[in-house]
Amino acid sequence: MATEFHNLQELRQSASLANKVFIQRDYSEGTVCKFHTKLPSELDSRIEKTLFEDTVKTLNNYYAEAEKIGGHAYLEGCLACITAYLIFLCMETRYEKVLKKISRYIQEQNEKIYAPRGLLITDPIERGMRVIEISIYEDRSSSGSSTSSSTTSSSGR
Amino acid sequence: MIAKKVTRKWEKLPGKNSFCCDGRVMMARQKGVFYLTLFLITGTCALFFAFECPYLAVHLSAAVPVCAVILFLFVMAMLLRTSFSDPGVLPRALPEEASFIEMEIEAANGSVPAGQRPPPRIRNVQINNQIVKLKYCYTCKIFRPPRASHCSICDNCVDRFDHHCPWVGNCVGKRNYRYFYLFTLSLSLLTIYIFTFDIVHVTLRSVFYGSVWCVAALTLPSTVVEVLVCFFTLWSVVGLTGFHTYLISLNQTTNEDIKGSWSGKNRVQNPYSHKNIVKNCCEVLCGPTYPSVLDRRGVMLESSGSTPCKTSDVTAATANTVTPNEVAFFSLQKTTSPLIPNEHSPDEAPPSIATTGHDTATSIPEEEDATGPNGSAPKAPPTTILVKESSH
């Protein structure tokens, strides 16, 4: 059912992109960056609900940490203002540091959890922080039935 | 395998921005008024430093020109930062995302009888117990996040859109609002400073030479020019600073204020305000510095080689850096995907004019209409659409 891939290289070489699912932003708490944690139906058969929810919740926590308005943010803001924001030429902002952490986390999740299940998460920053794009791959070796298998699974709902 | 030319992503970005310094600088196309701003500020300050400062430094204090220089440098830094930075542009949806949203909309609307206009594309969300409507942008093919708006001059959706300012030659949005505010504030201070010390200069001269004030003024033509410029600038810039201080204390944007989004009894109250002036100011001025989501300086490879030479980051491999030769074919199917849970249905708005939208180059919606029975009903046979993903 779920095609097994041992690593991301194998995924790229032997799989073809079947579909993409987009996890939308959750604006219930305002304009902070937060994504819906509900597992989309296309991924029902691909990945366990808890794993998926954990990934999205961790991402939400990272974004909340980056956008937190507190002592650290004020200090950074005031220091930057005093130096006419020239300090950002040599210093990384807190948000950028967290984005790097997020990128590493997504890479790690892809390698450990998603690629073995034929899925690939795209970093939201590459989509304007609007969506989490999850690409669903089918094994090329399962021939032309790849599209039909997704068809049956989707129409079976 | 050898890249003939390195193309950066900014060269292919849609929208009506102009870029300089290989994508580092991003502005609107019309820059005439911006050059006027630069000229007025530097010209007036040059006159001040050349004609007033020598006299004032000697007869009053050396601190006068020093403070003026610091103020001037700060004003210029804020102006350039506002003008050259990305205001918070939201990138347009890629074809897959656009069609995914289209399918959701069709599923939500059901089948529209022939001759009837489809309902407007609105998504309702609840933010802090207020219902906010998210509008669909036909140009960018996205549902705009709250507080975002489409700037017709720059042809981009901008997050937390305030206004398009011709004086700085750029939109003012989430990422550069604080620089814009600091620019107007520091420019007000600079204008008041120059104005004050011009008056002081003339007064000192008239006292020293025992002449009438006006006569003393006329012997200093540069001072007269400066006073005139500062006088007219004062009214507008100080007024603007006051207006934006008011907006910041309420956590509102100019766009919302003009549209009256949060005013009036029948309207919702501002869901973004903390109801506390200090907190609002802190959030707007001292909040986190948001990164740009437009990767302007990313490299798009146009080599004839087939290897995806992007970095080893696999997530980037699915980004829009696929070479035109290495085309990614994928099949999109009309799935019976359930809607993203909305707290409220979009059916509340009465059917109004559904705009034909902006004419864009994406071919997917037309292809979807052309192929097979266009139905959002689950029984419609899935149609396979081949889309050529091209670098843009």
Side-chain angles (χ1 to χ4, degrees):
Chain A
M1 181 253 316
T3 18
E4 291 289 321
F5 297 98
H6 297 292
N7 55 35
L8 287 165
Q9 283 295 336
E10 222 180 87
L11 180 75
R12 263 196 277 163
Q13 283 158 16
S14 62
S16 64
L17 186 59
N19 201 356
K20 287 191 184 186
V21 179
F22 299 91
I23 313 297
Q24 305 285 337
R25 284 271 293 270
D26 178 6
Y27 293 113
S28 57
E29 286 175 25
T31 48
V32 290
C33 187
K34 193 176 171 208
F35 293 95
H36 283 289
T37 50
K38 186 177 177 298
L39 180 72
S41 51
E42 290 91 337
L43 302 179
D44 252 338
S45 54
R46 292 281 202 159
I47 189 165
E48 294 81 6
K49 189 175 160 188
T50 45
L51 281 175
F52 176 80
E53 276 180 6
D54 274 343
T55 308
V56 183
K57 278 181 186 166
T58 312
L59 283 177
N60 286 341
N61 288 337
Y62 273 127
Y63 286 118
E65 180 199 327
E67 296 189 12
K68 198 171 73 171
I69 304 169
H72 195 277
Y74 295 151
L75 203 61
E76 193 182 63
C78 290
L79 184 69
C81 183
I82 291 167
T83 58
Y85 296 92
L86 294 169
I87 199 164
F88 288 143
L89 292 171
C90 31
M91 190 181 95
E92 217 176 36
T93 66
R94 181 206 173 102
Y95 212 114
E96 282 164 358
K97 286 181 194 154
V98 176
L99 284 178
K100 285 193 175 164
K101 272 202 253 179
I102 289 172
S103 172
R104 279 196 297 271
Y105 173 75
I106 289 178
Q107 173 98 2
E108 179 205 317
Q109 289 283 293
N110 274 333
E111 279 168 11
K112 288 188 190 159
I113 299 176
Y114 290 84
R117 292 167 170 80
L119 301 170
L120 200 67
I121 301 182
T122 305
D123 196 332
I125 193 93
E126 309 212 5
R127 295 291 177 264
M129 307 255 281
R130 279 195 316 271
V131 287
I132 302 176
E133 182 184 295
I134 301 179
S135 310
I136 304 172
Y137 286 87
E138 294 289 347
D139 193 5
R140 275 191 203 132
S141 57
S142 61
S143 71
S145 63
S146 60
T147 43
S148 53
S149 62
S150 329
T151 308
T152 40
S153 61
S154 64
S155 58
R157 262 179 291 276
Chain B
M1 290 288 181
I2 301 165
K4 294 175 211 167
K5 178 189 132 180
V6 169
T7 310
R8 302 248 181 208
K9 287 188 192 173
W10 64 265
E11 297 177 53
K12 305 288 180 187
L13 278 177
K16 295 181 190 165
N17 289 102
S18 66
F19 297 89
C20 306
C21 301
D22 201 18
R24 290 181 180 91
V25 166
M26 179 174 173
M27 289 181 77
R29 279 195 192 155
Q30 301 96 334
K31 301 188 205 53
V33 187
F34 168 68
Y35 292 138
L36 176 67
T37 310
L38 271 179
F39 171 72
L40 281 173
I41 297 174
T42 48
T44 312
C45 290
L47 287 176
F48 183 75
F49 292 132
F51 296 102
E52 327 293 324
C53 286
Y55 186 89
L56 289 168
V58 168
H59 291 86
L60 207 58
S61 165
V64 170
V66 169
C67 289
V69 167
I70 293 171
L71 255 182
F72 169 71
L73 289 174
F74 191 78
V75 166
M76 291 308 293
M78 290 300 103
L79 172 62
L80 296 179
R81 185 96 197 197
T82 310
S83 302
F84 294 167
S85 57
D86 171 9
V89 171
L90 297 167
R92 297 187 185 188
L94 294 176
E96 312 96 69
E97 190 188 337
S99 58
F100 184 85
I101 295 174
E102 291 271 351
M103 288 197 295
E104 274 191 342
I105 294 170
E106 278 173 24
N109 292 343
S111 52
V112 180
Q116 265 192 33
R117 290 179 183 130
R121 298 183 171 189
I122 290 180
R123 197 179 261 177
N124 289 331
V125 292
Q126 196 172 51
I127 300 175
N128 290 334
N129 298 320
Q130 310 279 356
I131 297 173
V132 174
K133 292 185 191 297
L134 304 186
K135 287 189 186 166
Y136 182 77
C137 180
Y138 285 91
T139 310
C140 304
K141 303 210 182 291
I142 56 171
F143 276 98
R144 283 185 214 125
R147 314 195 90 175
S149 190
H150 191 94
C151 174
S152 48
I153 300 170
C154 300
D155 203 22
N156 289 316
C157 270
V158 178
D159 207 353
R160 203 188 183 277
F161 179 72
D162 194 84
H163 67 287
H164 181 97
C165 184
W167 298 96
V168 302
N170 204 357
C171 285
V172 178
K174 182 167 84 170
R175 292 193 71 242
N176 63 355
Y177 184 65
R178 75 190 65 186
Y179 311 129
F180 175 76
Y181 178 72
L182 290 172
F183 165 65
T184 56
L185 183 64
S186 54
L187 185 62
S188 306
L189 293 174
L190 182 67
T191 312
I192 293 169
Y193 191 89
I194 292 180
F195 188 78
T196 310
F197 282 102
D198 280 347
I199 305 293
V200 165
H201 181 206
V202 174
T203 310
L204 283 176
R205 290 247 186 197
S206 71
V207 162
F208 187 77
Y209 293 111
S211 58
V212 180
W213 197 91
C214 298
V215 172
L218 286 170
T219 59
L220 303 161
S222 61
T223 313
V224 172
V225 169
E226 288 164 44
V227 165
L228 281 172
V229 171
C230 288
F231 183 75
F232 290 111
T233 310
L234 257 178
W235 295 111
S236 45
V237 176
V238 170
L240 192 66
T241 311
F243 174 63
H244 279 281
T245 310
Y246 161 75
L247 287 180
I248 288 174
S249 63
L250 293 177
N251 202 335
Q252 264 191 39
T253 63
T254 307
N255 195 42
E256 287 162 357
D257 188 70
I258 287 175
K259 286 185 181 168
S261 306
W262 318 123
S263 58
K265 290 178 200 166
N266 299 329
R267 303 271 197 154
V268 292
Q269 299 301 307
N270 186 355
Y272 313 108
S273 171
H274 298 278
K275 313 283 185 223
N276 179 327
I277 290 177
V278 175
K279 269 193 181 175
N280 284 338
C281 291
C282 286
E283 188 197 305
V284 176
L285 298 175
C286 302
T289 37
Y290 298 95
S292 172
V293 295
L294 285 183
D295 183 19
R296 304 193 296 272
R297 292 188 35 83
V299 174
M300 297 183 79
L301 298 170
E302 287 191 70
S303 65
S304 52
S306 59
T307 50
C309 321
K310 196 77 172 71
T311 58
S312 55
D313 188 357
V314 178
T315 55
T318 57
N320 57 347
T321 54
V322 175
T323 66
N325 291 324
E326 193 194 307
V327 174
F329 282 99
F330 59 91
S331 23
L332 282 175
Q333 300 165 352
K334 278 192 180 155
T335 63
T336 54
S337 54
L339 294 172
I340 298 299
N342 280 335
E343 288 81 359
H344 303 272
S345 72
D347 299 333
E348 294 157 14
S352 57
I353 297 168
T355 60
T356 50
H358 299 250
D359 214 358
T360 59
T362 44
S363 57
I364 293 182
E366 291 95 280
E367 282 189 14
E368 278 188 357
D369 291 339
T371 55
N374 182 18
S376 53
K379 291 176 192 154
T383 51
T384 306
I385 302 161
L386 287 174
V387 174
K388 197 169 191 175
E389 185 171 312
S390 56
S391 58
H392 61 273

